[in-house]
Amino acid sequence: MKIVLLGPPGAGKGTFAAQASKRLGLPHISTGDLFRAAIKNETSLGKKVKDILANGLLVPDELTIGLVKDRLLQPDAADGWILDGFPRTIPQAEALQEINPAELVLNLEVDDGLILQRLMGRRICRNCGKIYHMVTMPPKRDGICDACGGELYTRSDDQEDSIKTRLAAYREQTEPLVQWYGDRNLLIPLRGKGTPDSVYAAFEEVLRNR
Ligand code: ADP
Ligand code: ZN
């Protein structure tokens, strides 16, 4: 199955994708994670995108499309994937349609108020990438990952200014994709509020009814 996840920052794409990836045995491909890894490893791509990510702006399409193209050619992506954070613009969606079209596009819907609350409280494990929330999904021990004991950190773009920029970028550049995929009969809305398990249950219901 080839699944694209749409939805604003904070909709729960990463959390959902991690769950779906495990249960369906498909690779979770997150462009945000790929960019953050490039930054951490100080590659030439990382150097180009570091400030863009910190400010909450979108990376230029050519760079992003090239990155995804390479990733989708890897053997583990042959039987399907869960794309999280791509496409984010119409040209990216058009490129994907040419390279390797999506079969299912899930649109995670959440209100702006919830987005801000979720992103301001988000913490991520430096070691295994597991996502926590200070209020709704706190780790057992402060600042430490339950799963692997790694250190939890706050993403550099999870602060009010960058969050606002990311939301604006979403509204202007990404939200038109809802209509775009809707026109191609690929879009399935999914309510993103509630617990990760309840969102996943709603997705399983969708699969049963297909
Ligand atoms: P979120 O969905 O919470 O905003 P992501 O981890 O998906 O976070 O993305 C973080 C940042 O990575 C974005 O703000 C943007 O700078 C960059 N990025 C990720 N995916 C794309 C993409 N498809 N096109 C352009 N930039 C991207
Ligand atoms: Zn961890």
Side-chain angles (χ1 to χ4, degrees):
M1 208 168 358
K2 298 173 185 173
I3 304 174
V4 158
L5 297 179
L6 274 188
K13 299 186 296 291
T15 302
F16 176 86
Q19 228 170 339
S21 162
K22 214 191 256 171
R23 301 219 207 170
L24 301 173
L26 297 171
H28 170 195
I29 301 175
S30 156
T31 42
D33 286 350
L34 292 172
F35 286 132
R36 281 184 290 274
I39 293 169
K40 191 175 161 198
N41 298 326
E42 299 179 344
T43 67
S44 66
L45 174 69
K47 284 176 192 145
K48 281 185 206 147
V49 303
K50 187 172 186 201
D51 292 343
I52 301 177
L53 263 83
N55 289 314
L57 297 166
L58 290 189
V59 173
D61 283 338
E62 316 85 73
L63 282 182
T64 309
I65 291 167
L67 179 79
V68 172
K69 242 186 195 166
D70 288 347
R71 180 63 187 87
L72 293 182
L73 284 174
Q74 286 175 33
D76 68 328
D79 297 329
W81 28 257
I82 300 161
L83 267 181
D84 161 12
F86 183 95
R88 252 182 166 92
T89 64
I90 301 259
Q92 290 180 13
E94 286 168 345
L96 183 66
Q97 206 72 355
E98 270 180 32
I99 315 165
N100 206 330
E103 292 161 352
L104 197 69
V105 179
L106 298 174
N107 187 32
L108 283 169
E109 299 173 327
V110 289
D111 306 332
D112 280 8
L114 184 61
I115 290 172
L116 211 65
Q117 183 208 316
R118 277 185 176 172
L119 295 179
M120 306 266 291
R122 174 157 73 179
R123 298 291 182 277
I124 302 168
C125 174
R126 222 179 259 294
N127 181 47
C128 75
K130 192 169 158 58
I131 303 168
Y132 294 85
H133 189 283
M134 295 304 284
V135 179
T136 58
M137 278 189 287
K140 292 200 183 76
R141 276 185 302 159
D142 228 22
I144 299 195
C145 176
D146 295 345
C148 78
E151 177 204 0
L152 303 187
Y153 77 103
T154 305
R155 261 171 53 176
S156 64
D157 58 350
D158 278 349
Q159 319 168 19
E160 208 162 348
D161 280 358
S162 303
I163 291 172
K164 288 197 172 132
T165 310
R166 283 155 65 204
L167 269 175
Y170 171 76
R171 297 275 175 248
E172 279 164 32
Q173 296 174 271
T174 308
E175 205 164 37
L177 289 178
V178 172
Q179 173 91 43
W180 196 90
Y181 277 120
D183 290 345
R184 285 158 184 77
N185 286 320
L186 292 168
L187 194 80
I188 294 175
L190 209 59
R191 267 161 42 108
K193 75 173 197 187
T195 65
D197 284 344
S198 72
V199 176
Y200 198 80
F203 166 64
E204 288 186 315
E205 187 67 31
V206 165
L207 287 186
R208 271 196 295 278
N209 294 326
R210 271 179 96 214

